[in-house]
Structures are given as C-alpha cells and as structure tokens.
C-alpha cells in the first residue's frame, strides 16, 4: 500500500488537474491493487476504476467514470442513499454502502454481495475515497449453506420426536432435546452437565459405562442397548438407546450422540400379545398351543428323570344345554367359575389349559403312581360338581374325565391328546361324571368311531337310514297300543349298527339334529297311515329325542309343522326324553313341555330309574308315560328286594296318575311279574323287536297271545 500511497494525488492537485497530470500512475496503482477498486471524490463521483472492478460490474471504465457511485448500488437502495446525501451532504461518501446494504448491482442488474473497504484520503483540494469492493458471494453462499445446515440440524435435534442427547467424551451431557426432557421428566437445566446416572434405573447404571468403554476402545462404532430409565416422578420406563461417537480427523472422540426410544408400551404390548397368543381370553388359562409346548417339555423330563406324568381331559357334561337355555353370557360365567375352581384345586407348577368350548386339559407332572391321577380326577369331578350360583341362578354342572398316563417307557407323546380324547369318549359313554384311563384298545375304537361317523353322514345323506317300530303292548289285554320308533342303520359291512353306537356319534355334531328331524318326520308320516289300515285300534307312536334336539328352539315349531302336514292327531305322538335330558335345565324343560302340551303332544320319561331325578321333579314333569328301564325289568338277581323296588316305582307312577311302561321284557316270567305288580304297558323281545313299518298293521290286528 505504501507504494500506492506515494503515487496518490498531492495537495496541489485538483481532481481535474490531478487527473490530467497523473492518469497513468493512478491507473497503474489501481490496477495493481488485488481487489476491485474505485476512486471517488467527496461527492461520490467515480474518478477511476480498475479492471477488476469493471470485470466484476460488467461496466466499461467509460460508463463508470464521471458517474455517481450510486450507479453501482441496487436501485432499491439508491433513493435512501440520495436522501441521506441531501440531508447530510458532508457524509455523502460515508453513506455509501452502510453495513446492511453490502451489495452491488452489476450492469445486467444482478446483485452481488460484497465487502467494501473505504479508505478516505483527505487532501487539500478535497476528500477522496478509495473504495475496495470485494466480491463475497462465494463466501456468503458458504456461510449461508453452513447456517442452513446448522439450522436444519438444530431443528432436527430440537424438534425431533425421538429423545436425543449429546454428551462429551466423559459422558457429561452437553445438549438434550425437548423429547428427552419429556421422556425422563427432568428439565434441560437439570440434565446439562450431568451424566446419565440421575435418570438411570440403579440396577442398570453399569450398562452405560460398559458401552462407553466399548466405544472408547474403538471395538465398535455404534452400540444399541436397552436399559431402564428412572423418571423424575419415580416411574420406570424401558428405553432402547443407540449411541455413537463423533470423532475428529485424528479419530479422537469429540462427543457422543445418543438417540433413545421409549419402548415401555411396545414391550408391554409384545408381552400382552405373547400372553394372548398362549392364553385363552375368557378364562385366562393356558391355551392349546401353550399346553402342547408344556406337554412336550414334560414328556422330555419324564424320559430323562423318570417318574409318571398324566394328562387329564375334563369335559363338561351337556354344557351345550347351559348355553342354549341360559345364554352364552351365563355360559361364559360358568366356564370362568369352573376354570377358577380348577385352578385352585390344581398345582400351579402343573399346566391347566382351556382346550376348547367346554373342555379343559390338565397336565400333571411328578406323579408317583397312576392311582394318583385317578384320585386327582375324582377330586376334580367333585370340585366341579359343587353347585354354582351365577346371576341368581343355581346351576349344577358335572364333568367327565379322560386320562392318559405315561412314564419313561413311552417314546411318543404326539398322540397324547388324541388318546385322552378317546379315553374321555369312553368316560362319557359309560359313566358320565366319572373318569376313564386310556388303554390302547380305545385308540382303535376311536379310529373306527371316526370312520363310522363319516359313514353315518354319508348313509344319512344317501337316505339309507330307516325307522323301525317296536310294539308297545297292554300287559292285560295284550293289545298293541303303540310303537316306539327306533332308528336303524344297516351297514353294508358291519350289518346292523346299534343306535347306542351311532346316536352318540351323531350327538357330537349337528348331525344329531338332522337325524332327529328325520326320525320325527318319518315316524309322524308312518303313524298317520296306521289309523286307516288298523281299524280296531289306533296305535300311537313314541319318538326318542336327544338332548340337543330337545333343547333346540326349533323343535316345537318343527313338530307343529309336521303335525300340520300330516293327518296324525297330536295326542298320537309321544316324545321320549330321558331324565338326564329333562334335568339339564328344568325351567327350560318345563317351557318346552308346556308348549308340547298346548300342541296336544304327549311325553314319556325314558329309561326311568337310571338318572338322578327326585320325586319332586317327577311330579313337576308329569309325563304321560314312565318307561321303567330294562335294568329293573331284567335285574341280575330276582330277589325280593328287587321286586319291592319295582313295585314301589310302579305304585309311585300310578299314584301320580302316570302310565307305567316296562322296557325290555324278554321272558314270560318277567311279563307275569310285571303284570302282577300292576304295570300297565310293556315292550320287549317277548312281544317283538322293532320291525319295519310294513309289519305294523299285521301286528296290531293280531295282538299278542302271550
Ligand atoms: P331306548 O329308547 O331305551 O330304546 C329301547 C332300546 O331297547 C332299543 O334299542 C330296543 O331295541 C331295545 N329293546 C327293546 N326290547 C328289548 C328287549 O327285550 N331286550 C333288550 N335287550 N333290548 C330291548 P335300540 O333300538 O338299540 O336303541 C337304543 C337306544 O338308542 C334307544 O334306547 C334310544 O335311546 C336310542 N335311539 C334309538 N332310536 C333313536 C332315535 O330315533 N332318536 C334318538 N334320539 N335316539 C334313538
Ligand atoms: Mg326310548
Ligand atoms: Mg329306554
């Protein structure tokens, strides 16, 4: 600059004289300057410009020299500048480019950010100003970019929904965002300068320290971990943390960035989902999937350590009746109550599971003997049998139990559930309210039952089931007064299959309803023809109803419809129900009986004496006929005691004004005994087994000679 100054105008020079005297040296001086430069006089008039300035502004020297320097200012600023000059003429030059307006406008109108250095030269002939104008557009652009980045980062950090923390190399917090403060419940002021200890659950403090070491040692570049945070309000949350270091060019750690996520709800939800996947929503017991898992483990334990294990399949007897008569709401309550009782009665280390609608599975481990499983089963049966009081209803519920027992010699457990089902089937078939232990023959039986059930459906669909009719005789007159309709299935390979075998199969599905309506339709249709053929006496028909059928709300309307379609007077139709069916839900039974009574249809109580009915129920049901079960008619011993029993039953029915009918009379002696005891009606092979309908007429006409 000193070289330049020496060439500056002297006091003797006026601008004009100076210009004319020194143009080359000014030019040379200004050209030599490393920045775009102009020489202005005190009024702001341009006297010189260097090449760099003309290059920057795109003006030629001629266009600038002699012009007011405002030509280089953006038009929007000129007016203010000129006003300042007018008001403060002495500051004409100083007013140019104040700090806010650091831009120039090129010839083409484009604005460029600049930095301006004004060097006043106070000479005698006036004030001069050397104005150096530096193009800072690149620098500004860089600054702007940096500011933008910083802003973006700040916004990303501050407003991030994810809690974030910056900590120095010693894990002291240097910045936290709002989300982090909210998550831990501490203010920013409380957190800054601390490490994470104040908001870390005491047991988990070591986690942060160990991750710190791993990052410091350079073993990893990022760590993720889960730890518990202790909120300021004392709440504990689970947080997933991702932590990475920011390093300088030499690899030294500058600070750590923590990004955290509160996963408390997510974990709770996952745990809940897992629980839901493995538990029954109604009772909260384990579900089938869970049970099977536990079963496999239990089996493995027995093989390794010996001992005995057992699976008990507990099935509620006729539970459908509860649902049908009290509704599902109450049914659900009953199931929950039963589940609760079972839970109390069993060991918590064992597994209790709701297997399906009204079935529970219990896995008992560490048994000493099979007997223990039986004792357990008996206990569960009696625990369930205690009466329930639900929503003001007194309900009794019984259960049957199938049992599979295994020890270390059993290599396969995959059929356990299948086998326990087979055992349950036996339990239900023979002794409801009891238990049966699985034996291999049951498996075979289950398989053949399964195929039989399939065939039954096919046979039914093919229309190959038939109704046969067993005569009911008046024991005094020996006339045929009625017929019991009994279903018949003539199997191509097995011959006659007993309804005792196939009716229970059908009862396991809705097929029983189809079979039941078939029996009713067929029997009503046949019986309606009997009057015209058998002139002497019109026999009635009795039709057996299953539990499902009796409790089906469609029953009464169907009977009404069938009677309407036929010529059978309603009183010639008698429906047989067993005591146990009648007692599933006595109130509902009474309703159905009332409706049947209105239709004029009669009811017979079948297999009387085998159930548990009390006298009060008998009086309440007031059936037209009581069918005394075969076991009383053909007792194992013909003792006096049995006679007394039979006599009591008969006189009881008579006193209640019901017609007594003895089932299963096979011998003359039985016949005579019954007649002697005053039994009015009888049925049995002594008279005839069930016959096809075309033999009915002859039988009525003939009567019995016995
Ligand atoms: P149930 O209603 O007690 O029918 C009487 C059963 O005793 C019939 O057996 C009949 O053939 C048999 N029986 C009759 N007299 C004698 C005899 O003197 N000695 C012996 N030992 N048995 C005799 P069946 O036909 O095998 O029927 C068995 C059970 O199947 C019936 O018992 C009934 O509960 C059920 N059943 C039959 N047909 C139907 C039906 O259409 N619907 C429903 N729901 N159940 C039916
Ligand atoms: Mg019957
Ligand atoms: Mg019977």
């Amino acid at each position: 600059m000193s070289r330049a100054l020496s060439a500056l105008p002297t006091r003797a020079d006026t601008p004009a004289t100076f210009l004319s005297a020194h143009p080359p040296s000014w030019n040379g001086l200004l050209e030599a300057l490393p920045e775009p430069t102009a020489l202005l006089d005190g009024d702001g008039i341009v006297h010189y410009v260097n090449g760099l300035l003309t290059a920057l502004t795109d003006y030629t020297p001629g266009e600038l020299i002699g012009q007011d320097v405002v030509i280089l200012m953006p038009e929007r600023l000129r007016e203010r500048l000129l006003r300042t000059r007018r008001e403060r003429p002495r500051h004409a030059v100083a007013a140019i480019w104040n700090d806010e307006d650091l831009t120039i406008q090129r010839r083409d109108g484009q604005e460029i950010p600049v930095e301006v250095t004004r060097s006043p030269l106070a000479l005698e002939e006036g004030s001069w100003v050397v104005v150096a104008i530096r193009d800072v557009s690149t620098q500004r652009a860089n600054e702007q970019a940096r500011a933008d980045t910083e802003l973006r980062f700040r916004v990303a950090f501050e407003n991030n929904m994810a809690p974030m923390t910056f900590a120095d190399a010693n894990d002291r917090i240097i910045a936290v965002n709002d989300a982090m403060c909210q998550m831990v419940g501490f203010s920013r002021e409380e957190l800054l300068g601390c490490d994470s200890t104040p908001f870390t659950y005491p047991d988990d403090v070591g986690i942060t320290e160990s991750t710190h070491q791993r990052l410091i040692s350079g073993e990893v570049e990022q760590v993720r971990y889960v730890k518990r945070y202790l909120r300021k309000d004392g709440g504990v949350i689970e947080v997933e943390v991702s932590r990475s270091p920011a390093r300088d060019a030499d690899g030294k750690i500058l600070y750590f960035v923590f990004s955290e996520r509160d996963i408390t709800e997510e974990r709770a939800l996952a745990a809940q989902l897992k629980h839901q996947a493995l538990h029954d929503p109604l009772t909260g017991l384990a579900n089938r999937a869970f049970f099977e898992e536990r079963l496999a483990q239990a089996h493995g334990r027995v093989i390794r350590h010996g001992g005995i294990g057992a699976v008990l399949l507990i099935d509620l007897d006729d539970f459908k009746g509860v649902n049908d008569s009290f509704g599902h709401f109450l049914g659900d309550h009953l199931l929950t109550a039963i589940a609760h009782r079972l839970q109390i009665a069993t060991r918590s280390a064992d597994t209790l599971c709701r297997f399906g609608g009204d079935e529970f599975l219990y896995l008992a481990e560490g048994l000493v003997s099979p007997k223990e499983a039986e004792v357990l089963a008996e206990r569960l049966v009696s625990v369930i049998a205690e009466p329930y009081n639900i929503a003001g209803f007194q309900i009794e519920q019984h259960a049957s139990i199938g049992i599979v027992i295994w020890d270390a010699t059993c290599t396969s457990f995959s059929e356990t559930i299948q086998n326990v089902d087979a055992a349950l089937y036996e339990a239900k078939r023979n002794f409801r309210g009891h238990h049966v232990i699985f034996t291999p023959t049951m498996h075979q039986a289950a398989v053949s039952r399964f195929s039989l059930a399939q065939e039954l459906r096919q046979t039914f669909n093919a229309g190959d089931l038939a109704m046969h009719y067993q005569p009911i005789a008046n024991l005094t007159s020996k006339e045929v007064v009625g017929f019991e309709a009994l279903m018949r299935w003539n199997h191509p390979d097995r011959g006659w299959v007993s309804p005792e075998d196939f009716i229970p199969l059908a009862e396991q599905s809705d097929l029983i309803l189809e079979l039941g309506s078939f029996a009713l339709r067929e029997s009503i249709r046949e019986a309606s023809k009997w009057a015209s053929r058998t002139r002497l006496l019109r026999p009635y028909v009795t039709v057996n109803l299953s539990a499902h059928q009796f409790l089906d709300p469609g029953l009464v309307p169907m009977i009404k419809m069938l009677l309407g379609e036929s010529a059978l007077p309603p009183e010639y139709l008698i429906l047989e129900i067993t005591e146990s069916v009648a007692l599933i839900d006595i109130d509902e039974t009474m309703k159905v009986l009332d409706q049947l009574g209105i239709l004029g249809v009669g009811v017979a109580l079948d297999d009387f004496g085998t159930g548990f009915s009390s006298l009060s129920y008998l009086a309440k049901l007031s059936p037209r006929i009581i069918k005394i079960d075969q076991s009383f008619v053909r007792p194992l011993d013909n003792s006096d005691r049995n006679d007394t029993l039979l006599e009591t039953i008969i006189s009881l029915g008579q006193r209640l004004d019901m017609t007594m009918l003895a089932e299963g009379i096979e011998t003359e002696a039985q016949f005579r005994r019954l007649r002697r005891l005053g039994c009015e009606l009888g049925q049995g092979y002594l008279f005839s087994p069930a016959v096809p309908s075309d033999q009915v007429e002859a039988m009525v006409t003939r009567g019995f000679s016995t």
Side-chain angles (χ1 to χ4, degrees):
M1 198 67 186
S2 57
R3 192 171 61 88
L5 278 176
S6 65
L8 284 173
T10 66
R11 281 166 203 214
D13 293 338
T14 61
T17 53
F18 179 82
L19 277 174
S20 52
H22 300 285
S25 59
W26 269 107
N27 274 349
L29 172 70
L30 293 177
E31 284 310 324
L33 289 178
E35 286 171 343
T37 307
L39 176 69
L40 314 181
D41 64 21
D43 296 326
I45 304 298
V46 179
H47 287 255
Y48 285 102
V49 288
N50 67 3
L52 288 174
L53 187 70
T54 52
L56 176 67
T57 60
D58 207 27
Y59 284 106
T60 61
E63 285 170 323
L64 291 176
I65 290 171
Q67 294 293 325
D68 193 313
V69 74
V70 295
I71 193 174
L72 290 179
M73 305 215 55
E75 274 164 41
R76 61 189 164 82
L77 300 176
R78 282 182 202 165
E79 180 47 38
R80 199 189 63 207
L81 179 75
L82 295 172
R83 195 171 58 239
T84 313
R85 277 205 196 148
R86 276 195 302 277
E87 289 163 7
R88 303 168 69 193
R90 291 187 56 224
H91 294 85
V93 174
I96 304 169
W97 288 299
N98 62 31
D99 288 347
E100 296 125 52
D101 310 326
L102 290 174
T103 57
I104 59 162
Q105 182 171 296
R106 282 163 49 99
R107 191 169 188 269
D108 59 9
Q110 189 199 343
E111 281 189 34
I112 302 172
V114 290
E115 245 172 41
V116 178
T117 317
R118 281 169 295 207
S119 311
L121 293 172
L123 302 178
E124 271 180 17
E125 51 278 76
S127 302
W128 297 83
V129 183
V130 179
V131 179
I133 299 170
R134 190 149 53 89
D135 176 3
V136 291
S137 40
T138 316
Q139 184 189 334
R140 285 285 145 75
N142 286 345
E143 275 168 16
Q144 190 57 45
R146 216 170 21 247
D148 286 350
T149 310
E150 213 175 284
L151 182 71
R152 271 200 298 275
F153 175 77
R154 186 162 292 283
V155 170
F157 174 70
E158 293 293 352
N159 300 347
N160 203 319
M161 277 163 54
M164 290 178 78
T165 310
F166 283 80
D168 66 15
N170 296 318
D171 267 356
R172 306 253 158 225
I173 295 173
I174 48 181
V176 284
N177 66 0
D178 288 348
M180 177 66 189
C181 294
Q182 267 168 24
M183 186 174 78
V184 293
F186 286 95
S187 69
R188 184 170 273 108
E189 293 67 38
E190 287 171 314
L191 292 175
L192 291 176
C194 303
D195 62 11
S196 61
T197 312
F199 57 86
T200 298
Y201 188 73
D203 290 355
D204 291 356
V205 169
I207 297 178
T208 321
E209 285 166 12
S210 70
T211 60
H212 182 84
Q213 285 314 320
R214 290 178 66 203
L215 290 170
I216 293 271
S217 68
E219 179 191 333
V220 284
E221 263 316 293
Q222 192 199 31
V223 278
R224 278 170 179 272
Y225 51 92
V226 172
K227 73 173 199 177
R228 284 166 295 175
Y229 279 7
L230 185 63
R231 286 176 47 88
K232 192 180 180 185
D233 62 13
V236 178
I237 53 176
E238 272 188 282
V239 180
E240 185 185 59
V241 186
S242 158
R243 167 179 190 168
S244 28
R247 298 179 191 273
D248 65 12
D250 301 330
K252 191 170 145 265
I253 289 180
L254 297 172
Y255 54 86
F256 290 106
V257 185
F258 294 78
S259 162
E260 25 251 307
R261 195 161 66 89
D262 182 351
I263 54 167
T264 318
E265 277 183 25
E266 190 179 301
R267 289 245 164 147
L269 191 69
Q272 194 189 341
L273 286 178
K274 187 171 175 214
H275 188 270
Q276 275 170 7
L278 296 175
H279 290 81
D280 163 50
L282 177 68
T283 60
L285 298 183
N287 66 9
R288 183 180 182 151
F290 193 13
F291 187 87
E292 284 176 356
E293 202 181 301
R294 296 290 291 264
L295 179 63
Q297 292 164 356
H299 200 264
R301 275 193 286 274
V302 165
I303 290 187
R304 281 195 303 278
H305 309 300
I308 292 178
V311 165
L312 282 71
L313 176 56
I314 305 152
D315 183 284
L316 306 180
D317 295 337
D318 305 315
F319 180 75
K320 189 176 180 300
V322 175
N323 268 338
D324 289 349
S325 35
F326 293 103
H328 287 264
F329 179 73
L330 203 131
D332 283 355
H333 270 273
L334 180 59
L335 282 173
T336 315
I338 291 172
H340 188 62
R341 281 192 194 176
L342 289 175
Q343 249 173 332
I344 292 173
T346 53
R347 294 191 315 186
S348 57
D350 289 340
T351 309
L352 181 63
C353 135
R354 174 148 177 241
F355 189 51
D358 61 348
E359 289 182 332
F360 297 88
L361 270 174
Y362 179 57
L363 169 65
E365 292 191 68
L367 302 180
V368 186
S369 69
K371 181 78 198 144
E372 212 181 328
E374 290 200 78
V375 172
L376 177 67
E378 274 164 30
R379 197 174 78 233
L380 297 184
V381 163
S382 63
V383 160
I384 293 175
E386 288 288 314
Y388 299 82
N389 190 331
I390 295 172
F393 291 99
Q394 187 85 357
I395 301 176
E396 264 192 41
Q397 179 64 62
H398 297 271
S400 306
I401 299 185
I403 306 174
V404 165
I405 290 174
W406 73 89
D407 57 22
T409 61
C410 308
T411 46
S412 163
F413 75 98
S414 56
E415 284 119 38
T416 305
I417 292 186
Q418 217 176 316
N419 292 345
V420 81
D421 207 39
L424 174 69
Y425 182 86
E426 294 301 324
K428 285 216 160 268
R429 197 160 74 124
N430 302 328
F431 335 87
R432 289 195 157 206
H434 287 77
H435 64 265
V436 165
I437 294 186
F438 174 79
T439 58
T441 51
M442 289 177 198
H443 175 67
Q444 202 36 53
V447 170
S448 82
R449 248 190 337 266
F450 177 73
S451 63
L452 199 64
Q454 305 262 306
E455 287 174 293
L456 175 60
R457 152 104 24 224
Q458 286 157 11
T459 308
F460 174 71
N461 289 343
D464 289 343
L465 290 180
M467 297 309 291
H468 281 196
Y469 302 88
Q470 184 179 36
I472 298 169
N474 180 309
L475 297 187
T476 319
S477 67
K478 295 183 187 165
E479 285 166 324
V480 177
V481 295
F483 287 89
E484 174 173 12
L486 294 161
M487 200 173 285
R488 291 293 176 257
W489 176 11
N490 195 358
H491 190 279
D493 306 323
R494 305 182 193 220
W496 292 104
V497 185
S498 166
E500 305 256 17
D501 291 328
F502 72 80
I503 292 287
L505 285 187
E507 262 168 356
Q508 289 181 347
S509 70
D510 279 351
L511 181 58
I512 189 64
L513 296 179
E514 295 179 58
L515 292 192
S517 44
F518 161 75
L520 275 166
R521 192 178 315 113
E522 193 63 15
S523 309
I524 291 175
R525 199 170 57 84
E526 278 305 319
S528 65
K529 296 183 207 156
W530 295 343
S532 52
R533 292 198 205 137
T534 55
R535 244 155 263 134
L536 296 172
L537 222 165
R538 178 175 197 141
Y540 48 77
V541 68
T542 74
V543 184
N544 293 283
L545 293 186
S546 74
H548 275 63
Q549 224 184 331
F550 184 66
L551 293 168
D552 179 33
L555 176 75
V556 176
M558 178 175 64
I559 291 175
K560 196 170 171 184
M561 186 191 77
L562 292 174
L563 285 173
E565 286 171 358
S566 81
L568 186 71
E571 58 274 23
Y572 285 86
L573 174 65
I574 293 177
L575 302 176
E576 296 194 12
I577 54 168
T578 60
E579 286 168 289
S580 48
V581 168
L583 293 185
I584 290 175
D585 171 5
I586 188 72
D587 291 338
E588 193 60 29
T589 299
M590 293 313 299
K591 263 191 235 160
V592 180
L593 293 187
D594 281 351
Q595 289 168 334
L596 291 173
I598 293 169
L599 285 185
V601 173
V603 168
L605 201 58
D606 203 357
D607 303 343
F608 183 76
T610 55
F612 311 95
S613 58
S614 68
L615 284 180
S616 61
Y617 279 136
L618 190 59
K620 207 170 173 188
L621 294 171
S622 181
R624 195 182 299 173
I625 298 176
I626 290 181
K627 300 185 78 171
I628 305 166
D629 192 67
Q630 315 193 349
S631 53
F632 298 94
V633 176
R634 290 181 277 115
L636 292 176
D637 63 320
N638 265 332
S639 61
D640 289 350
R641 203 156 155 261
N642 272 321
D643 261 7
T644 319
L645 196 59
L646 193 56
E647 199 179 332
T648 315
I649 294 177
I650 292 169
S651 66
L652 175 79
Q654 286 166 342
R655 290 215 189 125
L656 290 172
D657 205 20
M658 293 161 197
T659 305
M660 303 308 285
L661 185 157
E663 295 188 275
I665 308 174
E666 289 183 352
T667 65
E668 215 29 67
Q670 288 161 0
F671 164 66
R672 269 190 247 108
R673 174 169 167 246
L674 285 157
R675 199 169 51 181
R676 176 168 46 81
L677 293 173
C679 184
E680 195 179 321
L681 303 177
Q683 212 181 319
Y685 296 163
L686 177 68
F687 305 112
S688 165
V691 296
S693 55
D694 56 8
Q695 295 177 32
V696 163
E697 191 181 349
M699 213 171 268
V700 176
T701 320
R702 197 173 62 234
F704 296 108
S705 53
T706 292

PDB file of all heavy atoms in Angstrom, residues 626-639:
ATOM      1  N   ILE A 626     -94.320 -93.348  31.966  1.00  0.00           N
ATOM      2  CA  ILE A 626     -92.987 -93.543  32.534  1.00  0.00           C
ATOM      3  C   ILE A 626     -92.477 -94.891  32.053  1.00  0.00           C
ATOM      4  O   ILE A 626     -93.130 -95.926  32.242  1.00  0.00           O
ATOM      5  CB  ILE A 626     -93.035 -93.518  34.070  1.00  0.00           C
ATOM      6  CG1 ILE A 626     -93.342 -92.096  34.545  1.00  0.00           C
ATOM      7  CG2 ILE A 626     -91.703 -93.990  34.650  1.00  0.00           C
ATOM      8  CD1 ILE A 626     -93.384 -91.958  36.044  1.00  0.00           C
ATOM      9  N   LYS A 627     -91.315 -94.861  31.371  1.00  0.00           N
ATOM     10  CA  LYS A 627     -90.765 -96.107  30.848  1.00  0.00           C
ATOM     11  C   LYS A 627     -89.698 -96.609  31.810  1.00  0.00           C
ATOM     12  O   LYS A 627     -88.618 -96.017  31.930  1.00  0.00           O
ATOM     13  CB  LYS A 627     -90.174 -95.885  29.455  1.00  0.00           C
ATOM     14  CG  LYS A 627     -91.216 -95.392  28.445  1.00  0.00           C
ATOM     15  CD  LYS A 627     -90.645 -95.285  27.035  1.00  0.00           C
ATOM     16  CE  LYS A 627     -90.562 -96.655  26.385  1.00  0.00           C
ATOM     17  NZ  LYS A 627     -90.220 -96.552  24.944  1.00  0.00           N
ATOM     18  N   ILE A 628     -90.060 -97.691  32.514  1.00  0.00           N
ATOM     19  CA  ILE A 628     -89.133 -98.222  33.523  1.00  0.00           C
ATOM     20  C   ILE A 628     -87.974 -98.909  32.807  1.00  0.00           C
ATOM     21  O   ILE A 628     -88.179 -99.748  31.919  1.00  0.00           O
ATOM     22  CB  ILE A 628     -89.869 -99.223  34.441  1.00  0.00           C
ATOM     23  CG1 ILE A 628     -91.106 -98.538  35.044  1.00  0.00           C
ATOM     24  CG2 ILE A 628     -88.943 -99.744  35.521  1.00  0.00           C
ATOM     25  CD1 ILE A 628     -92.078 -99.518  35.672  1.00  0.00           C
ATOM     26  N   ASP A 629     -86.766 -98.551  33.196  1.00  0.00           N
ATOM     27  CA  ASP A 629     -85.588 -99.048  32.494  1.00  0.00           C
ATOM     28  C   ASP A 629     -85.466-100.572  32.594  1.00  0.00           C
ATOM     29  O   ASP A 629     -85.867-101.186  33.584  1.00  0.00           O
ATOM     30  CB  ASP A 629     -84.340 -98.386  33.076  1.00  0.00           C
ATOM     31  CG  ASP A 629     -83.145 -98.653  32.204  1.00  0.00           C
ATOM     32  OD1 ASP A 629     -83.122 -98.136  31.068  1.00  0.00           O
ATOM     33  OD2 ASP A 629     -82.253 -99.419  32.639  1.00  0.00           O
ATOM     34  N   GLN A 630     -84.874-101.129  31.551  1.00  0.00           N
ATOM     35  CA  GLN A 630     -84.709-102.579  31.455  1.00  0.00           C
ATOM     36  C   GLN A 630     -84.006-103.178  32.674  1.00  0.00           C
ATOM     37  O   GLN A 630     -84.247-104.322  33.032  1.00  0.00           O
ATOM     38  CB  GLN A 630     -83.882-102.921  30.221  1.00  0.00           C
ATOM     39  CG  GLN A 630     -84.298-102.165  28.986  1.00  0.00           C
ATOM     40  CD  GLN A 630     -83.668-102.746  27.731  1.00  0.00           C
ATOM     41  OE1 GLN A 630     -82.781-103.580  27.817  1.00  0.00           O
ATOM     42  NE2 GLN A 630     -84.156-102.334  26.579  1.00  0.00           N
ATOM     43  N   SER A 631     -83.112-102.401  33.297  1.00  0.00           N
ATOM     44  CA  SER A 631     -82.348-102.951  34.416  1.00  0.00           C
ATOM     45  C   SER A 631     -83.235-103.337  35.606  1.00  0.00           C
ATOM     46  O   SER A 631     -82.847-104.163  36.420  1.00  0.00           O
ATOM     47  CB  SER A 631     -81.273-101.958  34.850  1.00  0.00           C
ATOM     48  OG  SER A 631     -81.879-100.714  35.097  1.00  0.00           O
ATOM     49  N   PHE A 632     -84.433-102.734  35.688  1.00  0.00           N
ATOM     50  CA  PHE A 632     -85.362-103.123  36.759  1.00  0.00           C
ATOM     51  C   PHE A 632     -86.205-104.318  36.340  1.00  0.00           C
ATOM     52  O   PHE A 632     -86.657-105.094  37.154  1.00  0.00           O
ATOM     53  CB  PHE A 632     -86.300-101.956  37.114  1.00  0.00           C
ATOM     54  CG  PHE A 632     -85.571-100.760  37.641  1.00  0.00           C
ATOM     55  CD1 PHE A 632     -85.189 -99.733  36.793  1.00  0.00           C
ATOM     56  CD2 PHE A 632     -85.232-100.693  38.991  1.00  0.00           C
ATOM     57  CE1 PHE A 632     -84.510 -98.644  37.272  1.00  0.00           C
ATOM     58  CE2 PHE A 632     -84.543 -99.594  39.475  1.00  0.00           C
ATOM     59  CZ  PHE A 632     -84.170 -98.571  38.614  1.00  0.00           C
ATOM     60  N   VAL A 633     -86.397-104.386  35.009  1.00  0.00           N
ATOM     61  CA  VAL A 633     -87.242-105.459  34.490  1.00  0.00           C
ATOM     62  C   VAL A 633     -86.463-106.771  34.462  1.00  0.00           C
ATOM     63  O   VAL A 633     -86.986-107.844  34.755  1.00  0.00           O
ATOM     64  CB  VAL A 633     -87.730-105.095  33.069  1.00  0.00           C
ATOM     65  CG1 VAL A 633     -88.529-106.233  32.452  1.00  0.00           C
ATOM     66  CG2 VAL A 633     -88.545-103.811  33.122  1.00  0.00           C
ATOM     67  N   ARG A 634     -85.185-106.648  34.065  1.00  0.00           N
ATOM     68  CA  ARG A 634     -84.341-107.851  33.996  1.00  0.00           C
ATOM     69  C   ARG A 634     -83.186-107.689  34.981  1.00  0.00           C
ATOM     70  O   ARG A 634     -82.040-107.522  34.593  1.00  0.00           O
ATOM     71  CB  ARG A 634     -83.789-108.025  32.581  1.00  0.00           C
ATOM     72  CG  ARG A 634     -84.844-108.420  31.581  1.00  0.00           C
ATOM     73  CD  ARG A 634     -84.272-108.603  30.191  1.00  0.00           C
ATOM     74  NE  ARG A 634     -84.164-107.325  29.489  1.00  0.00           N
ATOM     75  CZ  ARG A 634     -83.021-106.769  29.131  1.00  0.00           C
ATOM     76  NH1 ARG A 634     -81.883-107.359  29.423  1.00  0.00           N
ATOM     77  NH2 ARG A 634     -83.012-105.623  28.493  1.00  0.00           N
ATOM     78  N   PRO A 635     -83.457-107.702  36.275  1.00  0.00           N
ATOM     79  CA  PRO A 635     -82.384-107.492  37.240  1.00  0.00           C
ATOM     80  C   PRO A 635     -81.453-108.703  37.249  1.00  0.00           C
ATOM     81  O   PRO A 635     -81.847-109.792  36.825  1.00  0.00           O
ATOM     82  CB  PRO A 635     -83.123-107.360  38.574  1.00  0.00           C
ATOM     83  CG  PRO A 635     -84.380-108.110  38.381  1.00  0.00           C
ATOM     84  CD  PRO A 635     -84.744-108.004  36.937  1.00  0.00           C
ATOM     85  N   LEU A 636     -80.218-108.473  37.704  1.00  0.00           N
ATOM     86  CA  LEU A 636     -79.251-109.571  37.722  1.00  0.00           C
ATOM     87  C   LEU A 636     -79.724-110.679  38.653  1.00  0.00           C
ATOM     88  O   LEU A 636     -79.547-111.850  38.395  1.00  0.00           O
ATOM     89  CB  LEU A 636     -77.878-109.044  38.145  1.00  0.00           C
ATOM     90  CG  LEU A 636     -77.248-108.111  37.105  1.00  0.00           C
ATOM     91  CD1 LEU A 636     -75.938-107.549  37.610  1.00  0.00           C
ATOM     92  CD2 LEU A 636     -77.047-108.837  35.770  1.00  0.00           C
ATOM     93  N   ASP A 637     -80.343-110.295  39.731  1.00  0.00           N
ATOM     94  CA  ASP A 637     -80.937-111.327  40.598  1.00  0.00           C
ATOM     95  C   ASP A 637     -82.396-110.965  40.843  1.00  0.00           C
ATOM     96  O   ASP A 637     -82.756-109.798  40.984  1.00  0.00           O
ATOM     97  CB  ASP A 637     -80.161-111.437  41.920  1.00  0.00           C
ATOM     98  CG  ASP A 637     -80.221-110.152  42.717  1.00  0.00           C
ATOM     99  OD1 ASP A 637     -80.139-109.053  42.098  1.00  0.00           O
ATOM    100  OD2 ASP A 637     -80.351-110.230  43.945  1.00  0.00           O
ATOM    101  N   ASN A 638     -83.180-111.986  40.843  1.00  0.00           N
ATOM    102  CA  ASN A 638     -84.618-111.763  41.007  1.00  0.00           C
ATOM    103  C   ASN A 638     -85.013-111.797  42.488  1.00  0.00           C
ATOM    104  O   ASN A 638     -85.870-112.549  42.893  1.00  0.00           O
ATOM    105  CB  ASN A 638     -85.388-112.852  40.245  1.00  0.00           C
ATOM    106  CG  ASN A 638     -85.772-112.346  38.862  1.00  0.00           C
ATOM    107  OD1 ASN A 638     -85.937-111.146  38.670  1.00  0.00           O
ATOM    108  ND2 ASN A 638     -85.904-113.267  37.920  1.00  0.00           N
ATOM    109  N   SER A 639     -84.375-110.983  43.241  1.00  0.00           N
ATOM    110  CA  SER A 639     -84.605-111.051  44.684  1.00  0.00           C
ATOM    111  C   SER A 639     -85.899-110.332  45.083  1.00  0.00           C
ATOM    112  O   SER A 639     -86.461-109.565  44.299  1.00  0.00           O
ATOM    113  CB  SER A 639     -83.436-110.398  45.413  1.00  0.00           C
ATOM    114  OG  SER A 639     -83.382-109.043  45.004  1.00  0.00           O
TER     115      SER A 639
END
